[in-house]
Coordinates of all heavy atoms in Angstrom, one line a residue:
M1 N 19.0 25.2 11.9 CA 19.6 23.9 11.9 C 18.4 22.9 11.7 O 17.4 23.0 12.3 CB 20.3 23.6 13.2 CG 21.4 24.4 13.5 SD 22.1 23.8 15.0 CE 23.5 25.0 15.2
T2 N 18.7 22.0 10.9 CA 17.7 20.9 10.6 C 18.1 19.7 11.4 O 19.2 19.4 11.6 CB 17.6 20.6 9.1 OG1 18.9 20.1 8.7 CG2 17.2 21.8 8.3
Q3 N 17.1 19.0 11.9 CA 17.3 17.8 12.6 C 17.3 16.6 11.6 O 16.4 16.5 10.8 CB 16.3 17.5 13.7 CG 16.3 18.6 14.8 CD 15.3 18.3 15.8 OE1 14.3 17.5 15.6 NE2 15.4 19.0 17.0
S4 N 18.2 15.7 11.8 CA 18.2 14.5 10.9 C 17.2 13.6 11.4 O 16.8 13.5 12.6 CB 19.6 13.9 11.0 OG 19.9 13.4 12.3
A5 N 16.6 12.8 10.5 CA 15.6 11.8 10.8 C 16.2 10.7 11.7 O 17.4 10.3 11.5 CB 15.0 11.2 9.5
A6 N 15.4 10.2 12.6 CA 15.9 9.1 13.5 C 16.0 7.8 12.6 O 15.3 7.6 11.6 CB 14.9 8.8 14.6
P7 N 17.0 7.0 12.9 CA 17.2 5.8 12.2 C 16.0 4.9 12.3 O 15.2 4.9 13.3 CB 18.4 5.1 12.9 CG 18.9 6.0 13.9 CD 18.0 7.2 14.0
P8 N 15.7 4.1 11.3 CA 14.4 3.3 11.3 C 14.4 2.2 12.4 O 13.3 1.8 12.8 CB 14.4 2.6 9.9 CG 15.8 2.7 9.4 CD 16.4 3.9 10.1
D9 N 15.5 1.8 12.9 CA 15.5 0.8 14.0 C 15.3 1.4 15.4 O 15.3 0.7 16.4 CB 16.8 -0.1 13.9 CG 18.0 0.8 14.3 OD1 18.0 2.0 14.0 OD2 19.0 0.2 14.7
R10 N 15.2 2.7 15.5 CA 15.1 3.3 16.8 C 13.6 3.2 17.2 O 12.7 3.5 16.6 CB 15.4 4.8 16.6 CG 15.4 5.5 17.9 CD 16.4 6.6 17.9 NE 16.4 7.0 19.3 CZ 17.4 7.7 19.8 NH1 18.4 8.0 19.0 NH2 17.4 8.1 21.0
R11 N 13.5 2.7 18.5 CA 12.2 2.5 19.1 C 11.7 3.8 19.8 O 12.5 4.5 20.3 CB 12.2 1.3 20.0 CG 12.5 0.0 19.3 CD 12.5 -1.1 20.2 NE 13.1 -2.3 19.6 CZ 14.1 -3.0 20.0 NH1 14.7 -2.7 21.1 NH2 14.5 -4.0 19.3
P12 N 10.4 3.9 20.0 CA 9.9 5.1 20.7 C 10.3 5.1 22.2 O 10.4 4.0 22.8 CB 8.4 5.0 20.6 CG 8.1 3.6 20.3 CD 9.3 3.1 19.5
V13 N 10.5 6.3 22.8 CA 10.8 6.4 24.2 C 9.6 6.1 25.1 O 9.8 5.4 26.1 CB 11.4 7.8 24.5 CG1 11.7 7.9 25.9 CG2 12.7 8.0 23.7
V14 N 8.5 6.6 24.7 CA 7.3 6.3 25.5 C 6.6 5.0 24.9 O 6.1 5.0 23.9 CB 6.2 7.5 25.4 CG1 5.0 7.2 26.1 CG2 6.9 8.8 25.8
T15 N 6.7 4.0 25.8 CA 6.2 2.7 25.4 C 5.1 2.3 26.4 O 5.0 2.9 27.5 CB 7.3 1.6 25.4 OG1 7.8 1.6 26.7 CG2 8.4 2.0 24.4
P16 N 4.2 1.4 26.1 CA 3.3 1.0 27.1 C 3.9 0.5 28.4 O 3.3 0.7 29.5 CB 2.5 -0.2 26.3 CG 2.7 0.1 24.9 CD 4.0 0.7 24.8
T17 N 5.0 -0.2 28.3 CA 5.6 -0.7 29.5 C 6.1 0.5 30.4 O 5.9 0.5 31.7 CB 6.9 -1.5 29.2 OG1 6.5 -2.6 28.3 CG2 7.6 -2.0 30.4
R18 N 6.6 1.6 29.8 CA 7.0 2.7 30.6 C 5.8 3.5 31.1 O 5.8 4.1 32.2 CB 7.9 3.7 29.8 CG 9.2 3.0 29.6 CD 10.1 4.0 28.9 NE 11.4 3.3 28.7 CZ 12.6 3.9 28.5 NH1 12.6 5.2 28.4 NH2 13.6 3.2 28.3
V19 N 4.7 3.5 30.4 CA 3.5 4.1 30.9 C 3.0 3.4 32.1 O 2.6 4.0 33.2 CB 2.4 4.2 29.8 CG1 1.0 4.6 30.4 CG2 2.8 5.1 28.7
I20 N 3.0 2.0 32.1 CA 2.5 1.2 33.2 C 3.5 1.5 34.4 O 3.0 1.6 35.6 CB 2.5 -0.3 32.9 CG1 1.4 -0.5 31.9 CG2 2.3 -1.1 34.1 CD1 1.4 -1.9 31.3
A21 N 4.8 1.6 34.2 CA 5.7 1.8 35.3 C 5.5 3.2 35.8 O 5.5 3.4 37.1 CB 7.2 1.7 34.7
G22 N 5.1 4.2 35.0 CA 4.9 5.5 35.5 C 3.6 5.6 36.4 O 3.5 6.3 37.4
V23 N 2.6 4.8 36.0 CA 1.4 4.7 36.8 C 1.6 4.1 38.1 O 1.1 4.5 39.1 CB 0.3 4.0 36.0 CG1 -0.9 3.6 36.9 CG2 -0.2 4.8 34.8
C24 N 2.5 3.0 38.1 CA 2.9 2.4 39.3 C 3.6 3.4 40.3 O 3.4 3.3 41.5 CB 3.8 1.2 39.1 SG 3.0 -0.2 38.4
L25 N 4.4 4.3 39.8 CA 5.1 5.2 40.6 C 4.2 6.4 41.0 O 4.4 7.0 42.0 CB 6.3 5.8 39.8 CG 7.4 4.7 39.6 CD1 8.5 5.3 38.7 CD2 8.0 4.1 40.9
L26 N 3.2 6.7 40.2 CA 2.3 7.9 40.5 C 1.2 7.5 41.4 O 0.8 8.4 42.2 CB 1.7 8.4 39.1 CG 0.9 9.6 39.2 CD1 1.8 10.8 39.6 CD2 0.3 9.9 37.9
A27 N 0.8 6.3 41.5 CA -0.3 5.9 42.3 C -0.2 6.2 43.8 O -1.1 6.8 44.4 CB -0.6 4.4 42.1
P28 N 1.0 5.9 44.4 CA 1.1 6.3 45.8 C 1.0 7.8 46.1 O 0.5 8.1 47.1 CB 2.5 5.7 46.2 CG 2.8 4.7 45.2 CD 2.1 5.1 43.9
F29 N 1.6 8.6 45.2 CA 1.5 10.0 45.4 C 0.1 10.5 45.4 O -0.3 11.3 46.2 CB 2.3 10.8 44.4 CG 3.8 10.6 44.5 CD1 4.5 9.7 43.7 CD2 4.5 11.2 45.6 CE1 5.9 9.6 43.9 CE2 5.8 11.1 45.7 CZ 6.5 10.2 44.9
V30 N -0.7 10.0 44.4 CA -2.1 10.4 44.3 C -2.9 10.0 45.5 O -3.6 10.8 46.1 CB -2.7 9.9 43.0 CG1 -4.2 10.2 43.0 CG2 -2.0 10.5 41.8
A31 N -2.6 8.8 46.0 CA -3.3 8.2 47.1 C -3.0 9.0 48.4 O -3.9 9.2 49.2 CB -3.0 6.7 47.3
M32 N -1.8 9.4 48.6 CA -1.4 10.1 49.8 C -1.8 11.6 49.8 O -2.0 12.2 50.8 CB 0.1 10.0 50.1 CG 0.5 8.6 50.5 SD -0.1 8.1 52.1 CE -1.6 7.3 51.7
L33 N -1.8 12.2 48.6 CA -2.1 13.6 48.5 C -3.6 13.9 48.6 O -4.0 15.0 48.8 CB -1.6 14.2 47.2 CG 0.0 14.3 47.2 CD1 0.4 14.8 45.8 CD2 0.4 15.3 48.2
W34 N -4.4 12.8 48.3 CA -5.9 13.0 48.4 C -6.3 12.7 49.8 O -7.0 11.7 50.1 CB -6.5 12.0 47.3 CG -8.0 12.2 47.2 CD1 -8.8 13.2 47.5 CD2 -8.9 11.2 46.7 NE1 -10.1 13.0 47.2 CE2 -10.2 11.7 46.7 CE3 -8.7 9.9 46.1 CZ2 -11.3 11.0 46.2 CZ3 -9.7 9.3 45.7 CH2 -11.0 9.8 45.7
V35 N -6.0 13.6 50.7 CA -6.2 13.3 52.2 C -7.7 13.2 52.5 O -8.0 12.3 53.4 CB -5.6 14.5 53.0 CG1 -5.8 14.3 54.4 CG2 -4.1 14.6 52.7
S36 N -8.6 13.8 51.8 CA -10.0 13.7 52.2 C -10.5 12.3 52.1 O -11.5 12.0 52.6 CB -10.8 14.7 51.5 OG -10.8 14.4 50.1
S37 N -9.9 11.5 51.3 CA -10.3 10.1 51.1 C -10.1 9.2 52.2 O -10.7 8.2 52.4 CB -9.7 9.5 49.8 OG -8.3 9.3 50.0
Y38 N -9.1 9.6 53.1 CA -8.8 8.8 54.2 C -8.7 9.5 55.6 O -8.3 8.9 56.6 CB -7.4 8.0 54.0 CG -6.2 8.9 53.8 CD1 -5.4 9.2 54.9 CD2 -5.8 9.4 52.6 CE1 -4.3 10.0 54.8 CE2 -4.7 10.2 52.5 CZ -3.9 10.5 53.6 OH -2.8 11.3 53.4
A39 N -9.2 10.7 55.6 CA -9.2 11.5 56.8 C -10.4 11.2 57.7 O -11.3 12.0 57.8 CB -9.1 13.0 56.6
R40 N -10.4 10.0 58.2 CA -11.5 9.5 59.1 C -11.0 8.4 60.1 O -9.9 7.9 59.9 CB -12.7 9.0 58.3 CG -12.3 7.9 57.3 CD -13.5 7.4 56.5 NE -13.1 6.3 55.7 CZ -13.1 6.3 54.4 NH1 -13.6 7.3 53.7 NH2 -12.8 5.2 53.7
V41 N -11.8 8.1 61.0 CA -11.4 7.1 62.1 C -11.9 5.7 61.7 O -11.2 4.8 61.9 CB -12.0 7.6 63.4 CG1 -11.7 6.5 64.5 CG2 -11.4 8.9 63.8
E42 N -13.1 5.6 61.2 CA -13.7 4.3 60.9 C -13.4 4.0 59.5 O -13.4 4.8 58.6 CB -15.2 4.4 61.1 CG -15.7 4.6 62.5 CD -15.3 3.5 63.5 OE1 -15.3 2.3 63.0 OE2 -15.0 3.7 64.6
P43 N -13.3 2.7 59.1 CA -13.2 1.5 59.9 C -11.9 1.3 60.6 O -10.8 1.6 60.0 CB -13.5 0.4 58.9 CG -12.9 0.9 57.6 CD -13.1 2.4 57.7
T44 N -11.9 0.8 61.8 CA -10.7 0.5 62.5 C -10.2 -0.9 62.2 O -11.0 -1.8 61.8 CB -10.9 0.6 64.0 OG1 -11.9 -0.3 64.4 CG2 -11.3 2.1 64.4
L45 N -9.0 -1.1 62.3 CA -8.4 -2.5 62.1 C -7.6 -2.8 63.3 O -6.6 -2.1 63.6 CB -7.5 -2.4 60.8 CG -6.7 -3.7 60.5 CD1 -7.8 -4.7 60.0 CD2 -5.7 -3.5 59.4
I46 N -8.0 -3.8 64.0 CA -7.5 -4.2 65.3 C -7.3 -3.0 66.2 O -6.2 -2.9 66.9 CB -6.2 -5.1 65.2 CG1 -5.1 -4.4 64.5 CG2 -6.5 -6.4 64.6 CD1 -3.8 -5.1 64.5
G47 N -8.2 -2.1 66.3 CA -8.2 -0.9 67.1 C -7.4 0.3 66.6 O -7.4 1.3 67.2
I48 N -6.8 0.1 65.4 CA -6.0 1.2 64.8 C -7.0 2.0 63.9 O -7.6 1.4 63.0 CB -4.8 0.7 64.0 CG1 -3.9 -0.1 64.9 CG2 -4.1 1.8 63.3 CD1 -2.8 -0.9 64.2
P49 N -7.1 3.3 64.0 CA -8.0 4.1 63.2 C -7.5 4.0 61.7 O -6.4 3.8 61.3 CB -7.8 5.5 63.7 CG -7.3 5.4 65.1 CD -6.5 4.2 65.1
F50 N -8.6 4.2 60.8 CA -8.3 4.1 59.4 C -7.2 5.0 58.9 O -6.4 4.6 58.1 CB -9.6 4.4 58.7 CG -9.6 4.3 57.2 CD1 -9.5 3.1 56.5 CD2 -9.6 5.5 56.4 CE1 -9.4 3.0 55.1 CE2 -9.5 5.3 55.0 CZ -9.4 4.1 54.4
F51 N -7.2 6.2 59.4 CA -6.2 7.2 59.0 C -4.8 6.6 59.0 O -4.0 6.9 58.2 CB -6.4 8.4 59.9 CG -5.4 9.5 59.5 CD1 -5.7 10.4 58.5 CD2 -4.2 9.8 60.3 CE1 -4.8 11.4 58.1 CE2 -3.4 10.8 60.0 CZ -3.7 11.6 58.9
Y52 N -4.5 5.9 60.1 CA -3.1 5.4 60.3 C -2.9 4.1 59.5 O -1.8 4.0 58.9 CB -2.8 5.1 61.8 CG -2.9 6.4 62.6 CD1 -3.9 6.7 63.5 CD2 -1.9 7.4 62.4 CE1 -3.9 7.9 64.2 CE2 -1.9 8.6 63.1 CZ -2.9 8.8 64.0 OH -2.9 10.0 64.7
W53 N -3.8 3.1 59.6 CA -3.5 1.9 58.9 C -3.5 2.1 57.3 O -2.8 1.3 56.6 CB -4.3 0.7 59.4 CG -5.8 0.7 59.1 CD1 -6.8 1.0 60.0 CD2 -6.4 0.3 57.9 NE1 -8.0 0.8 59.4 CE2 -7.8 0.3 58.1 CE3 -6.0 -0.2 56.7 CZ2 -8.8 0.0 57.2 CZ3 -6.9 -0.5 55.7 CH2 -8.3 -0.4 55.9
Y54 N -4.3 3.0 56.9 CA -4.4 3.2 55.4 C -3.0 3.7 54.9 O -2.5 3.3 53.9 CB -5.4 4.3 55.1 CG -5.5 4.7 53.7 CD1 -6.3 3.9 52.8 CD2 -4.9 5.8 53.2 CE1 -6.4 4.2 51.4 CE2 -5.0 6.2 51.9 CZ -5.8 5.4 51.0 OH -5.9 5.7 49.7
Q55 N -2.4 4.6 55.7 CA -1.1 5.2 55.3 C 0.0 4.1 55.4 O 0.9 4.0 54.6 CB -0.7 6.4 56.2 CG -1.5 7.6 56.0 CD -1.2 8.7 56.8 OE1 -0.1 9.2 56.8 NE2 -2.2 9.1 57.7
M56 N -0.1 3.3 56.4 CA 0.9 2.2 56.6 C 0.8 1.1 55.5 O 1.7 0.6 55.0 CB 0.8 1.6 58.0 CG 1.2 2.5 59.1 SD 2.8 3.3 58.8 CE 3.9 1.9 58.8
A57 N -0.5 0.9 55.1 CA -0.7 0.0 54.0 C -0.1 0.5 52.7 O 0.5 -0.3 51.9 CB -2.2 -0.2 53.8
W58 N -0.1 1.8 52.5 CA 0.5 2.4 51.3 C 2.0 2.3 51.3 O 2.7 2.4 50.3 CB 0.0 3.8 51.1 CG -1.2 3.8 50.2 CD1 -2.5 4.0 50.6 CD2 -1.3 3.5 48.9 NE1 -3.3 3.9 49.6 CE2 -2.6 3.6 48.5 CE3 -0.4 3.2 47.9 CZ2 -3.1 3.4 47.2 CZ3 -0.8 3.0 46.6 CH2 -2.1 3.1 46.2
V59 N 2.6 2.2 52.5 CA 4.1 2.0 52.6 C 4.4 0.7 51.9 O 5.3 0.6 51.1 CB 4.6 2.1 54.1 CG1 6.0 1.6 54.2 CG2 4.4 3.5 54.6
L60 N 3.7 -0.4 52.3 CA 3.9 -1.7 51.7 C 3.5 -1.7 50.2 O 4.3 -2.3 49.4 CB 3.1 -2.7 52.4 CG 3.4 -2.9 53.9 CD1 2.5 -3.9 54.6 CD2 4.9 -3.3 54.1
L61 N 2.4 -1.1 49.9 CA 2.0 -1.0 48.4 C 3.0 -0.2 47.6 O 3.3 -0.6 46.5 CB 0.6 -0.4 48.3 CG -0.6 -1.3 48.7 CD1 -1.9 -0.5 48.8 CD2 -0.7 -2.5 47.8
S62 N 3.5 0.9 48.1 CA 4.5 1.7 47.4 C 5.7 0.9 47.1 O 6.3 1.0 46.0 CB 4.8 2.9 48.2 OG 3.7 3.7 48.3
T63 N 6.2 0.1 48.1 CA 7.3 -0.8 47.9 C 7.1 -1.7 46.8 O 8.0 -1.9 45.9 CB 7.7 -1.5 49.2 OG1 7.8 -0.6 50.2 CG2 8.9 -2.4 49.1
A64 N 6.0 -2.4 46.8 CA 5.6 -3.4 45.7 C 5.5 -2.7 44.4 O 6.1 -3.2 43.4 CB 4.4 -4.1 46.1
L65 N 4.9 -1.6 44.3 CA 4.7 -0.9 43.0 C 6.0 -0.4 42.5 O 6.3 -0.4 41.3 CB 3.7 0.3 43.2 CG 2.2 -0.2 43.4 CD1 1.4 1.0 43.7 CD2 1.7 -0.9 42.1
T66 N 6.9 0.1 43.3 CA 8.2 0.6 42.9 C 9.0 -0.6 42.4 O 9.7 -0.5 41.3 CB 8.9 1.3 44.0 OG1 8.2 2.3 44.5 CG2 10.3 1.8 43.6
M67 N 8.9 -1.7 43.0 CA 9.7 -2.9 42.5 C 9.1 -3.4 41.2 O 9.9 -3.7 40.3 CB 9.5 -4.1 43.6 CG 10.3 -5.3 43.1 SD 10.1 -6.7 44.3 CE 8.3 -7.1 44.0
I68 N 7.8 -3.3 41.0 CA 7.2 -3.7 39.7 C 7.7 -2.8 38.6 O 8.1 -3.2 37.5 CB 5.7 -3.7 39.8 CG1 5.2 -4.9 40.7 CG2 5.0 -3.8 38.4 CD1 3.8 -4.8 41.1
A69 N 7.6 -1.5 38.9 CA 8.1 -0.5 37.9 C 9.5 -0.7 37.5 O 9.9 -0.6 36.4 CB 7.9 0.9 38.5
Y70 N 10.4 -0.9 38.5 CA 11.8 -1.2 38.3 C 12.0 -2.4 37.4 O 12.8 -2.4 36.4 CB 12.5 -1.3 39.6 CG 14.0 -1.8 39.4 CD1 14.9 -0.8 39.0 CD2 14.4 -3.1 39.7 CE1 16.3 -1.2 38.9 CE2 15.7 -3.5 39.5 CZ 16.6 -2.6 39.1 OH 18.0 -2.9 38.9
K71 N 11.3 -3.5 37.7 CA 11.5 -4.7 36.9 C 11.0 -4.5 35.5 O 11.6 -5.0 34.6 CB 10.7 -5.9 37.6 CG 11.3 -6.3 38.9 CD 12.7 -7.0 38.7 CE 13.3 -7.5 40.0 NZ 14.6 -8.0 39.8
L72 N 9.9 -3.8 35.3 CA 9.4 -3.5 34.0 C 10.3 -2.8 33.1 O 10.6 -3.1 32.0 CB 8.0 -2.8 34.0 CG 6.8 -3.6 34.5 CD1 5.6 -2.7 34.7 CD2 6.5 -4.7 33.5
V73 N 10.9 -1.7 33.7 CA 11.8 -0.9 32.9 C 13.1 -1.6 32.7 O 13.7 -1.6 31.6 CB 12.1 0.4 33.7 CG1 13.2 1.2 33.0 CG2 10.8 1.3 33.7
Q74 N 13.6 -2.4 33.7 CA 14.8 -3.2 33.5 C 14.6 -4.2 32.4 O 15.5 -4.4 31.6 CB 15.1 -3.9 34.8 CG 16.4 -4.6 34.9 CD 16.7 -5.3 36.2 OE1 15.7 -5.8 36.8 NE2 17.9 -5.3 36.7
R75 N 13.4 -4.9 32.4 CA 13.2 -5.9 31.3 C 13.1 -5.3 30.0 O 13.7 -5.8 29.0 CB 11.9 -6.6 31.6 CG 11.6 -7.8 30.7 CD 10.3 -8.5 31.0 NE 9.2 -7.6 30.9 CZ 8.0 -7.9 31.2 NH1 7.7 -9.1 31.6 NH2 7.0 -7.1 31.1
E76 N 12.5 -4.1 29.9 CA 12.4 -3.4 28.6 C 13.8 -2.9 28.1 O 14.2 -3.0 26.9 CB 11.6 -2.2 28.7 CG 11.4 -1.4 27.4 CD 10.6 -0.2 27.5 OE1 10.0 0.1 28.5 OE2 10.5 0.5 26.4
Q77 N 14.7 -2.5 29.0 CA 16.0 -2.0 28.6 C 16.9 -3.2 28.2 O 17.6 -3.1 27.2 CB 16.7 -1.4 29.8 CG 16.2 0.0 30.0 CD 16.9 0.7 31.3 OE1 17.5 0.0 32.1 NE2 16.7 2.0 31.4
R78 N 16.7 -4.4 28.8 CA 17.3 -5.6 28.4 C 16.9 -6.0 27.0 O 17.7 -6.4 26.2 CB 17.1 -6.7 29.4 CG 18.2 -7.6 29.5 CD 18.1 -8.7 30.6 NE 17.9 -8.2 31.9 CZ 16.9 -8.4 32.7 NH1 15.9 -9.2 32.4 NH2 16.9 -7.9 34.0
A79 N 15.6 -5.9 26.7 CA 15.1 -6.2 25.4 C 15.6 -5.3 24.3 O 15.8 -5.7 23.2 CB 13.5 -6.2 25.5
R80 N 15.7 -4.0 24.7 CA 16.2 -3.0 23.7 C 17.6 -3.3 23.3 O 18.1 -3.1 22.2 CB 16.1 -1.6 24.3 CG 14.8 -1.0 24.2 CD 14.9 0.4 24.9 NE 13.6 1.0 24.9 CZ 13.3 2.0 24.0 NH1 14.1 2.5 23.2 NH2 12.0 2.5 24.1
K81 N 18.4 -3.8 24.3 CA 19.8 -4.1 24.0 C 20.0 -5.5 23.4 O 21.1 -5.8 23.0 CB 20.7 -4.0 25.3 CG 20.7 -2.6 25.9 CD 21.6 -2.6 27.1 CE 21.6 -1.2 27.7 NZ 22.3 -1.2 29.0
G82 N 18.9 -6.2 23.3 CA 19.0 -7.5 22.7 C 19.5 -8.6 23.6 O 20.0 -9.6 23.2
G83 N 19.4 -8.3 24.9 CA 19.9 -9.3 25.9 C 19.0 -10.5 26.1 O 18.1 -10.7 25.3
G84 N 19.2 -11.1 27.2 CA 18.4 -12.3 27.6 C 16.9 -12.0 27.8 O 16.5 -10.9 27.9
S85 N 16.1 -13.1 28.0 CA 14.7 -12.9 28.2 C 14.3 -13.2 29.7 O 13.5 -14.1 29.9 CB 14.0 -13.9 27.3 OG 14.3 -15.2 27.6
Q86 N 14.9 -12.5 30.6 CA 14.5 -12.6 32.0 C 13.5 -11.6 32.4 O 13.4 -10.5 32.1 CB 15.7 -12.6 33.0 CG 16.3 -13.9 33.1 CD 17.4 -13.8 34.2 OE1 17.9 -12.7 34.5 NE2 17.7 -14.9 34.7

């Protein structure tokens, strides 16, 4: 079976916007899986060892990065459909 050529107006699936969104989603996993980078007590933050506050900081960062990735993909999908410019 032969595959028909894609129509000329078809855009690529892997776009720079989606790559950025993917990096935003991948960063928290890499940060949390690389345990040796934060498996220590110092520096403390208001008496909380680094090990704990680093992980809690990533909870907030992960939320922000997920929101950014969602907004980027949503904006790109709207642009593909020819929708508004929000």
Side-chain angles (χ1 to χ4, degrees):
M1 295 184 183
T2 60
Q3 293 180 347
S4 61
D9 65 335
R10 185 148 189 161
R11 296 183 190 123
V13 176
V14 178
T15 62
T17 303
R18 289 188 181 198
V19 170
I20 293 169
V23 169
C24 286
L25 295 173
L26 186 65
F29 289 105
V30 172
M32 290 292 93
L33 289 175
W34 186 20
V35 178
S36 64
S37 70
Y38 63 92
R40 57 181 183 240
V41 175
E42 296 294 327
T44 59
L45 179 69
I46 60 170
I48 301 171
F50 181 74
F51 181 80
Y52 295 113
W53 69 258
Y54 178 83
Q55 291 178 61
M56 293 310 295
W58 271 104
V59 169
L60 300 174
L61 286 169
S62 297
T63 303
L65 289 170
T66 302
M67 183 183 68
I68 290 168
Y70 173 75
K71 292 293 184 181
L72 285 171
V73 172
Q74 186 180 40
R75 185 177 64 179
E76 182 182 356
Q77 286 177 343
R78 212 177 295 126
R80 282 178 179 254
K81 293 179 182 178
S85 61
Q86 273 189 338

